[in-house]
Amino acid sequence: DHRPCILLTPLFAIHMVTPPTVRIIHSGHACNVEEERHTERVYTIREGETLELTCLVTGHPRPQIRWTKTAGSVSDRFQDSSVFNETLHIAKILRTQGGRYYCKAENGLGSPAIKSIRVDVYYLDDPVVTVHQSIGEAKEQFYYERTVFLRCVANSNPPVRYSWHRGREVLTQGSDKGVEIYEPFFTQGETKILKLKNLRPQDYANYSCIASVRNVCGIPDRSVIFRLTNKTASPSIKLLVEDPIVVNPGQTVSLVCITTGGEPPPVLTWVSTNDSLPQRSVVKGGTLTLPAITSDEAGVYSCVASNNVGNPAKKSTTIVVRALKKGRFWITPDPYHNDDNIQIGREVKISCQVEATPPEELTFSWLKNGRALRSSERMVITQTDPDISPGTTNLDIIDLKFTDFGTYTCVAALKGGGIPEISIDVNISSTTVPPSLTVPRGKSPLVAREGDTVELECLVSGKPKPIILWSRADKEAPMPDGNMQMESYDGVLRIINVSREMTGSYRCQTSQYNGFNVKPREAVVELIVQYPPTVEPVYTEKRQGLGRPVVMTCKVLRAHPSRVLRFEWLLSNRLLHAGAFDAQKDETEYTIRSLNRDGWGEYTCNVINEAGAGKCTFQVTGKAYPPEFYYDTYNPLWQNRPRVYGFKLQWTQMNPNAVDRIVAYRLGIRQSGIRWNCWVLGIPVDGPINKGELMTHNLTELIKPESYEVRLTPITRFGEGDSTIRIVTYSGECCIMYVCLKYSDHFEEEPICMFTQDKNDDFDWTRHSAATRDTKYTPNTGPSGDRSGSKQGFYMYIETSRPRKEGDQARLVSPFFNVAPKNPYGITNPPAYCFGFFYHMYGKHIGTLNAFLKQKGQTTSEGPVWSLSGNQGNHWKQAKVSIHPTSSFQVVLEGIRGPGIEGDIAIDDVTLEEGECRDPPPTPRLHPHPPIYGCYASPW
């Protein structure tokens, strides 16, 4: 039979605009999916398995899909973490990833469709037994009572149940007078405590705690064993180090910890106050080694010993890393005089401060003009001043003389050595004067433009010249470097790339350091940052047909100075209109009363103030919007010839009335991955296109199994519009398919038209033509030609000769047809398909021919949708039956061998078409489930 099997679909247009609907289905490793109150769905999964949720959406235009997760139970508050595709896939899910997952679909029609599912992650950790012992003296007797508590804890979801065993004996409340089992109130039933009161000899044994979640999700029970002996004791340890340990940077430090008691033997671990041990640290047994230690690694280090008996033992030591940094000085004139000048005959104090670690090792020495200075009645050196912060030394010069002028040097060192000294020089002379602070004329207010580099300046005088501290004077806000204060040694604050947020008042003040310890001098500098107008829209596209009006509006959001000077409207740099800006309206408008061809192009509106211009740009065009492909049927495919396939391209036009009428589409097709192999077709359009109107075009002569890139471009009087590209992929999985079992001589390439033999049946269907079939084994049975009467045409049949026996089954299984995700109406209104085939059942031993519908996820069939038994005469007959699948499905044809060899059953021309069957032949009476065949529970 050489007639091609082809499904022809004419070009047509119907209204197919539908709002979105959503349904969530699952795959992967679900333990259970159950419906709760208010139709809430709960998906339970074992920790470590793969979570896969698919959002089945319908609607046209194709809805956009977004998966989001909330940690709460009944909240529509979406978090930032989103997945923008249909399938949510989480490999090796963690317990922290449980919660409610939402799928939201929207296509601009109606309200967004939202469905949610709660994911419950099940897990059970190994239980841990902790032991606590108490010894109390009885009041009226002379013995000690020893009580032991064994506490069992396991993290789990759902809540865990515990059971206790002593050896092989199951312990329950009341089974032993010396044993109590209870749940502390504060643990809400999650912890079981075994109490052994007044310990007896038989209580020294192996105790096992078994934690169970009752095998939910296939999670097995977990257990732990604790051996209780008369030597069981909590841990004790000893640190073989000093406290604190003071070292120089770069040294290697080793801390040694040993156990001095505990049964079972304790496990030693090290922890640090810095949350984690340094990356380069090495732990070996109870020894912690810190190579080439740095100041950042200083802190408290603790050795912790645990054996689950009593409380863990903990011993700590502090590591101090020597350091010297930040040397400062200040001068204090005679506090008994009102002026701040240094004068002969008065008292002067020089203070010197450094930061030292450890502070108790800090030592100071003083030099005058490079020579050591010792404390005397007139030169009083104080090593530490309790009234000032630590790390400070003072040199008091009483009754200042002319000979006291010179350079005084304060030298700070650490007793342990190994750290370089810090030297600070202070000059005392007749020219030493307190500071003064002023703002130069013309430097406040300082006006700058956004993006400039500005320098705020305060003039500071005095000797020595102090450090200047800059801060915000008008509000509690950080400086440009992020700190609340910035230091300057020359009185200048430099700000690079100044922004509008930096407008305000800045305070400069003298620091008490590196200068006189007098009341701080301060001044304020005003900074004004100008910026061009901020306008909207920055860029927008105006699509319009010829002869229609176009209105463009440019709005000013903010500007400084806010007095806007003027506006300009231009088309491709050609001035159209200019004028003074109306500050009352905050916007300017330009109107094209009737758009002509010269009016297409880029319009610019410049709104200008002293700082520059803000620009609104409008692209006025007659370009049509892109078409939108209709994806509700994924890769609809039909068979026409063995080497080629066809595709029904479907689309709607986005905003067809926004521009001039679309007169045609240009269709470009090229094989994926090949640039030069491309061809172009023109698709004329008769009459105007309505919004949402579905258009189709049949693509033919596509070579199997290649994929193709399709580019669709609308054309108006303006010319080409925006294109849309999609990939057409050859697929055996489809929702509209014409399946043919007769390909003449081409069965070598496609043996049975994508049908497969069931691996779980008793024997296979056989492919044959009447011209090649040997009928000597089965005389007077089977067809003399294919369905059309051709002896060269091929068909499928079951060979009932030996070794076949009565009741043997042969099944042909189709590929999966994807229906559920593409059905625009959801499962409440399942689609209809017409499943048809021709059959030949001639012979006195004819058995049964069954047709089944098998839906994805089902392991058993609900029975045949069509069934016929016995001799039907020596001619071909047609069968048609309407099926209504609610998910991806297969069709199955089953032949069952009758009582003898004259029972060959043949089939030909299998078809599957969309819609209910038209004028179906009379449906044969369906048989009840024949007990001898037992085929309905077979795993297809």
Side-chain angles (χ1 to χ4, degrees):
D1 182 62
H2 292 275
R3 294 176 296 105
C5 302
I6 186 168
L7 177 65
L8 294 177
T9 307
L11 185 69
F12 66 97
I14 60 174
H15 290 281
M16 285 291 286
V17 176
T18 54
T21 66
V22 171
R23 189 161 60 91
I24 296 176
I25 64 169
H26 61 87
S27 56
H29 300 81
C31 306
N32 189 24
V33 179
E34 54 190 39
E35 305 289 335
E36 285 194 349
R37 294 175 302 167
H38 313 300
T39 67
E40 178 189 42
R41 303 180 73 206
V42 181
Y43 179 103
T44 53
I45 186 171
R46 184 171 172 172
E47 187 174 45
E49 301 286 4
T50 298
L51 173 70
E52 195 165 274
L53 300 175
T54 300
C55 194
L56 303 184
V57 299
T58 66
H60 192 68
R62 179 74 175 164
Q64 289 186 336
I65 300 168
R66 182 186 184 195
W67 278 101
T68 55
K69 175 180 181 288
T70 59
S73 57
V74 285
S75 170
D76 283 335
R77 177 178 56 85
F78 291 118
Q79 295 181 337
D80 292 335
S81 55
S82 302
V83 178
F84 291 92
N85 55 34
E86 294 170 355
T87 300
L88 176 71
H89 182 93
I90 302 176
K92 296 182 180 179
I93 192 168
L94 304 175
R95 62 193 65 179
T96 54
Q97 293 173 306
R100 183 177 301 279
Y101 288 83
Y102 290 83
C103 175
K104 180 181 181 182
E106 51 187 338
N107 65 353
L109 298 174
S111 300
I114 301 175
K115 286 286 191 219
S116 70
I117 188 168
R118 201 181 85 216
V119 176
D120 208 357
V121 181
Y122 282 174
Y123 58 91
L124 174 61
D125 293 341
D126 287 327
V128 176
V129 168
T130 54
V131 181
H132 294 269
Q133 304 180 87
S134 65
I135 299 176
E137 183 179 354
K139 289 183 179 180
E140 298 177 359
Q141 299 177 8
F142 297 95
Y143 67 88
Y144 287 97
E145 179 186 81
R146 188 175 185 184
T147 301
V148 174
F149 299 88
L150 280 75
R151 182 171 181 257
C152 188
V153 180
N155 296 319
S156 75
N157 181 34
V160 71
R161 290 182 183 173
Y162 301 94
S163 57
W164 284 98
H165 294 240
R166 179 166 52 198
R168 297 184 178 180
E169 175 190 3
V170 179
L171 297 178
T172 57
Q173 183 66 24
S175 63
D176 185 330
K177 291 184 179 180
V179 175
E180 290 185 21
I181 300 175
Y182 62 95
E183 299 173 353
F185 174 74
F186 61 86
T187 60
Q188 299 179 351
E190 294 181 2
T191 305
K192 273 284 190 194
I193 289 187
L194 178 68
K195 180 180 179 182
L196 307 175
K197 187 175 181 181
N198 196 9
L199 219 58
R200 305 162 299 180
Q202 63 265 34
D203 292 329
Y204 295 114
N206 287 340
Y207 291 86
S208 57
C209 170
I210 301 173
S212 173
V213 289
R214 301 160 297 286
N215 203 38
V216 297
C217 263
I219 299 176
D221 295 350
R222 295 182 181 268
S223 62
V224 61
I225 297 177
F226 185 87
R227 180 172 178 78
L228 182 65
T229 71
N230 58 0
K231 295 181 181 179
T232 298
S234 56
S236 59
I237 55 175
K238 185 176 181 180
L239 272 183
L240 304 181
V241 294
E242 297 178 357
D243 184 33
I245 303 172
V246 181
V247 296
N248 290 331
Q251 278 186 237
T252 295
V253 181
S254 291
L255 308 180
V256 180
C257 177
I258 61 171
T259 59
T260 58
E263 178 66 33
V267 176
L268 297 178
T269 57
W270 284 92
V271 295
S272 166
T273 51
N274 298 329
D275 295 332
S276 60
L277 295 174
Q279 191 171 1
R280 295 176 293 113
S281 61
V282 178
V283 178
K284 188 174 182 180
T287 302
L288 169 65
T289 303
L290 304 171
I293 196 166
T294 65
S295 297
D296 295 336
E297 295 168 351
V300 178
Y301 288 80
S302 303
C303 174
V304 181
S306 176
N307 64 352
N308 291 343
V309 179
N311 295 319
K314 184 177 181 180
K315 296 284 186 180
S316 303
T317 186
T318 302
I319 298 178
V320 178
V321 180
R322 292 187 178 93
L324 273 179
K325 53 185 177 180
K326 281 196 176 178
R328 299 178 181 274
F329 75 89
W330 61 95
I331 303 167
T332 305
D334 189 344
Y336 301 104
H337 292 79
N338 291 327
D339 63 71
D340 296 325
N341 293 317
I342 290 179
Q343 296 178 8
I344 300 295
R346 292 186 184 176
E347 181 181 334
V348 174
K349 179 192 289 186
I350 306 172
S351 300
C352 176
Q353 182 189 60
V354 295
E355 294 181 18
T357 306
E360 60 270 15
E361 289 192 1
L362 178 63
T363 61
F364 287 104
S365 58
W366 284 90
L367 307 175
K368 178 185 177 184
N369 297 328
R371 299 179 65 181
L373 189 66
R374 294 187 177 185
S375 187
S376 64
E377 290 185 358
R378 216 170 51 78
M379 296 280 187
V380 181
I381 296 174
T382 308
Q383 284 290 337
T384 56
D385 189 337
D387 297 329
I388 306 178
S389 56
T392 304
T393 181
N394 295 324
L395 172 63
D396 278 288
I397 306 173
I398 300 170
D399 188 15
L400 184 70
K401 299 181 182 300
F402 181 79
T403 56
D404 294 330
F405 291 147
T407 299
Y408 292 83
T409 304
C410 150
V411 181
L414 291 176
K415 291 178 183 177
I419 304 295
E421 297 176 336
I422 291 180
S423 297
I424 303 167
D425 292 332
V426 184
N427 291 310
I428 300 295
S429 70
S430 59
T431 59
T432 301
V433 292
S436 65
L437 198 63
T438 57
V439 177
R441 180 173 297 183
K443 292 291 187 177
S444 181
L446 186 64
V447 180
R449 292 190 178 181
E450 196 166 37
D452 289 350
T453 295
V454 297
E455 291 186 347
L456 308 185
E457 189 175 353
C458 281
L459 289 178
V460 59
S461 62
K463 189 175 181 180
K465 190 178 290 187
I467 297 171
I468 301 299
L469 299 178
W470 287 91
S471 60
R472 296 294 293 261
D474 53 345
K475 54 186 174 181
E476 281 288 327
M479 298 293 286
D481 68 348
N483 296 313
M484 297 307 293
Q485 285 186 331
M486 291 178 67
E487 290 185 351
S488 166
Y489 290 87
D490 58 359
V492 175
L493 173 64
R494 184 174 288 102
I495 303 176
I496 299 173
N497 193 21
V498 69
S499 65
R500 62 192 68 180
E501 292 79 13
M502 296 178 188
T503 294
S505 302
Y506 290 79
R507 178 188 297 110
C508 63
Q509 64 182 33
T510 57
S511 167
Q512 67 161 336
Y513 301 115
N514 293 20
F516 278 79
N517 185 25
V518 295
K519 183 178 180 181
R521 276 65 166 164
E522 66 177 46
V524 174
V525 178
E526 293 288 338
L527 174 62
I528 299 173
V529 181
Q530 295 182 341
Y531 53 90
T534 301
V535 296
E536 69 174 10
V538 175
Y539 179 88
T540 190
E541 198 174 54
K542 291 278 189 177
R543 304 198 189 209
Q544 188 60 280
L546 294 175
R548 302 182 196 169
V550 179
V551 179
M552 292 165 278
T553 303
C554 185
K555 185 174 182 179
V556 177
L557 301 179
R558 52 191 172 273
H560 190 84
S562 58
R563 183 173 59 88
V564 177
L565 299 180
R566 64 187 191 281
F567 66 85
E568 297 174 344
W569 283 94
L570 303 98
L571 171 58
S572 301
N573 296 322
R574 177 170 56 89
L575 183 63
L576 301 174
H577 181 49
F581 193 87
D582 186 353
Q584 302 296 322
K585 295 176 62 176
D586 288 337
E587 63 183 30
T588 176
E589 188 176 275
Y590 185 77
T591 301
I592 304 171
R593 291 190 176 87
S594 179
L595 182 64
N596 56 31
R597 294 180 183 273
D598 295 334
W600 288 326
E602 184 176 278
Y603 290 76
T604 303
C605 176
N606 293 322
V607 182
I608 305 161
N609 69 355
E610 296 174 13
K615 181 185 290 187
C616 293
T617 301
F618 302 86
Q619 185 69 42
V620 177
T621 177
K623 180 188 291 189
Y625 283 97
E628 295 180 306
F629 285 115
Y630 187 69
Y631 282 94
D632 276 8
T633 51
Y634 282 27
N635 299 335
L637 159 73
W638 64 91
Q639 303 292 130
N640 48 15
R641 295 201 302 279
R643 295 182 181 274
V644 300
Y645 70 101
F647 189 93
K648 184 168 69 173
L649 201 66
Q650 304 176 86
W651 72 92
T652 57
Q653 178 60 46
M654 181 191 294
N655 298 335
N657 299 319
V659 295
D660 290 312
R661 186 176 76 80
I662 294 170
V663 296
Y665 285 92
R666 191 181 71 179
L667 180 65
I669 309 169
R670 69 178 179 90
Q671 190 174 320
S672 296
I674 301 177
R675 294 185 178 181
W676 49 267
N677 189 15
C678 177
W679 67 96
V680 179
L681 304 174
I683 304 174
V685 176
D686 297 328
I689 300 172
N690 295 319
K691 186 174 183 178
E693 201 171 295
L694 187 68
M695 289 162 284
T696 65
H697 180 79
N698 286 340
L699 302 179
T700 58
E701 304 299 323
L702 304 180
I703 300 171
K704 295 179 184 177
E706 304 298 336
S707 298
Y708 291 84
E709 182 183 283
V710 177
R711 178 189 295 267
L712 191 63
T713 308
I715 299 173
T716 63
R717 289 192 293 175
F718 173 83
E720 293 185 3
D722 289 334
S723 302
T724 298
I725 298 175
R726 72 162 295 177
I727 302 296
V728 172
T729 305
Y730 174 75
S731 171
E733 299 185 7
C734 55
C735 53
I736 304 173
M737 181 176 176
Y738 203 89
V739 185
C740 176
L741 291 181
K742 305 175 303 170
Y743 273 134
S744 188
D745 296 330
H746 299 291
F747 274 115
E748 288 75 18
E749 297 178 16
E750 296 195 26
I752 47 175
C753 236
M754 293 189 296
F755 270 81
T756 57
Q757 304 278 5
D758 189 356
K759 295 180 180 179
N760 298 303
D761 56 7
D762 300 312
F763 67 109
D764 287 344
W765 287 79
T766 304
R767 173 183 145 275
H768 258 305
S769 69
T772 60
R773 184 177 175 209
D774 186 351
T775 59
K776 66 181 180 180
Y777 295 108
T778 54
N780 303 320
T781 184
S784 57
D786 73 348
R787 198 268 299 179
S788 66
S790 168
K791 291 188 179 295
Q792 279 71 37
F794 284 89
Y795 54 87
M796 302 296 292
Y797 83 103
I798 59 170
E799 175 59 69
T800 56
S801 303
R802 293 181 180 86
R804 301 277 66 82
K805 60 183 182 295
E806 185 174 3
D808 281 0
Q809 309 151 4
R811 285 189 289 270
L812 278 178
V813 184
S814 78
F816 268 107
F817 302 133
N818 293 331
V819 170
K822 294 86 187 175
N823 169 25
Y825 303 105
I827 63 170
T828 56
N829 185 14
Y833 296 92
C834 182
F835 176 37
F837 56 91
F838 283 82
Y839 61 89
H840 188 283
M841 301 172 67
Y842 175 55
K844 63 182 180 180
H845 299 142
I846 290 291
T848 302
L849 177 62
N850 292 320
F852 292 92
L853 169 67
K854 180 179 179 295
Q855 303 194 63
K856 193 167 187 177
Q858 295 180 351
T859 57
T860 60
S861 172
E862 298 179 354
V865 295
W866 185 96
S867 183
L868 189 61
S869 300
N871 186 355
Q872 304 297 320
N874 188 14
H875 49 270
W876 288 93
K877 294 184 179 180
Q878 188 179 24
K880 283 186 177 182
V881 59
S882 295
I883 56 176
H884 304 85
T886 59
S887 64
S888 300
F889 69 96
Q890 295 168 292
V891 291
V892 182
L893 288 167
E894 176 187 67
I896 303 177
R897 201 255 198 191
I901 64 171
E902 296 185 30
D904 294 351
I905 299 174
I907 56 174
D908 199 358
D909 280 11
V910 181
T911 60
L912 184 64
E913 300 178 85
E914 192 177 25
E916 298 280 354
C917 293
R918 298 179 182 177
D919 303 323
T923 302
R925 181 176 61 85
L926 292 179
H927 290 266
H929 302 283
I932 65 167
Y933 301 149
C935 64
Y936 303 117
S938 299
W940 296 335

